[in-house]
Amino acid sequence: MSAEPSIFFSDVNERQGSFLRRTFVLGGLTTLGGLALTGRLAQLQVVQAGQYATMASNNQFNFRLVPPPRGRILDRDGVVIAGNRPSFRVLVVRTETRDLDQTLDLLGRLLPDTLDRRRSIIREVNAAPRFSPVPVKSDLTWEEFARVNLYANELPGVMADMNEARYYPFGGAFAHVIGYVAKPNDRDIKAIQDRGEQVPDILYNPGFRIGRQGVEKSFDTDLRGEAGGNRVEVDARGRVVAEDIGGSRPAVPGKDVVLTLDADVQNRALEVFGEESGGCVVMDIRNGDILCMVSAPSFDPNLFVGGVPSHIYNALRDYERKPLLDKAIYGTFPPGSTFKMTTALALLDAGINPSERVVCTGGYRFGNRTFRCWRAGGHGAMDMHNAIKNSCDTYFYHLCNRAGVDRIARVATDLGFGQAYEIGIAGQSSGTVPSTRWKREYTARTSWDDDPTWYPGETLSVAIGQGALKVNALQLAVMTARLANGRKAVQPRLVKAVGGTARPAAPAFADLPFSDEHLDIVRAGMAAVANDVTGTAYRASQLGLGDIQMAGKTGTAQSRDYGSGSRGPRDAVWTRRDHALFVAFAPHDAPRYAIALIIQHAPSGGSADAAPRAREIMKTVLLKDPDMRARIERPLPPEAVAPAGVDEGELGAAPGGEVTGAAAAEAAPPAPRPAPTLTTGPRPYLSEPPQ
């Protein structure tokens, strides 16, 4: 018989104790959990209630920065030369789009050209701050704007609005002096950080623009204004449902900048350059105001506002005539014969008699080299007046070392060469004024030449505006203004006022260190260049404005070394041609305006290419001056009539030994000609000697 199974029961008290322990542990944990939950709720609802209320409000309301309207740039008469225009645009807000790729696909059906910029759009959207709208396309047509608004409800995160875009109404006429605007880049942000400054939040806004080059860059802080902001209410998906007007802050527009430039003169200057390359500056010799500062060829700065396509930028960058380079203040050139007034003043300062004659036979032998005059057959006997009038190289070759290069350099500095001017635009080229000290320093810091000695043969090149001598158009205009003024070292001025406040006037102009007698000799030579029938720029300098005449000087500067050969054909490859220059002031009997014009690699020379263009620009300047117009419109005096059958140009010695006619032209500066008849329209460009 098998054994029955046995059942053992634990003690009742033991089982009850185990239950009580588990109950106590679970109860304790529950109590601790309740206390922790109660404490956390108390912290959230009592201690941090304000903080979370603010966060909830921030989730409900977003503050979106609004770029301010950029300040305008005006000419001297209040004409807007850089302003703002309305522009329709479409924007995308990353935080409001569920699927950016899908949104851009749908948007591409409405605006097909956005598909070409898809990568850059995605990059800009991802880099933009949270809640910041990113422009996808600007300058929408009305049809495109209406189409986007029609389907806006089906495009989450997409909106269309109207903003202000930078606009340059005169296109390329002011492109170099004003510059343009563009999006801030990483280099701009880093430059601010390197200065230890706080980067403004507005710079991260994809619709914001900063100044590039020229006035736009130099006065960017004033033109920029202060950013505003819109406080908008959003739903759970981040979509805008309302705007909190009370919480919004309007943007403060930038300050207006008024320049001394004249829009009519500037436009005319770019027009007369045509397809040629170069720069031109016009100054008021009384106060230094710059009326014109143009560089050609130019470019349209409106292309850069929204981002210039790479193929267009590459074409501008690679074009041999360098439309992106400001040739008025950055490009430097040898001044050629326009420098001869500087050399003449140095000769006078050295005590050389202006009546001393030098016989020009077409060249000057110095050492083992012949330095040629531009006229192969020579000019004959030349004094200083006729040497300036005829631009005789041999005269200056023969006498320059009696003055010395250091004296020439000192006079050049007094006339404004070799320096940059505080006109509100940084980065000007100061050029080069050679001297013995310059050569020593240049040799020490370069490997160009092991010999720091300045040789007399080098002075010959400098005396006629060649060699190492380099200047820009602004410096040539300053030189001409100082010669015309005759008393003061005129300083150029470009900015008249900023934000309605006149810019501080320049310190009183210093006195020129030249005697009136010496200046009169040089100015008389310039007057003969333009008004003596044998002057190098006679036919190209006639204004046709009553009795108003110019005084000027032509120049043709070598752009390369010709060795022992001649200058070569005029129809040579563009880069192998000479530069053409012309400087002048008018009226020559009561100077008021000075002009300097450079044509890079000109077809002919100073008198054929530069002087006629300078004449047309000067006519525009004079016709805009009320005093000059009154002088032009007054009745002309009766003209002296020569005896019948007598040619005035062939009259010989008059009774009593008085020299007249052609002989007198060699003995003394010519008397003012009878006033030319008033003409309208431009004169043809006439060929002249290459000086």
Side-chain angles (χ1 to χ4, degrees), residues 140 179 212 332 674:
L140 274 69
R212 299 274 191 224
T332 58

Side-chain angles (χ1 to χ4, degrees), residues 300-313:
D300 186 357
N302 292 298
L303 294 173
F304 290 79
V305 175
V308 62
S310 59
H311 68 280
I312 295 180
Y313 179 80

Side-chain angles (χ1 to χ4, degrees), residues 15 27 64 74 130 148 161 186 206 251 254 327 350 365 377 455 507 511 525 557 583 638 679:
R15 286 187 289 111
R64 296 177 174 176
L74 314 173
R130 191 167 179 256
V148 172
D161 70 357
D186 294 339
K327 301 177 184 69
R365 186 73 179 177
Y455 293 99
D511 293 332
V583 298
T679 60

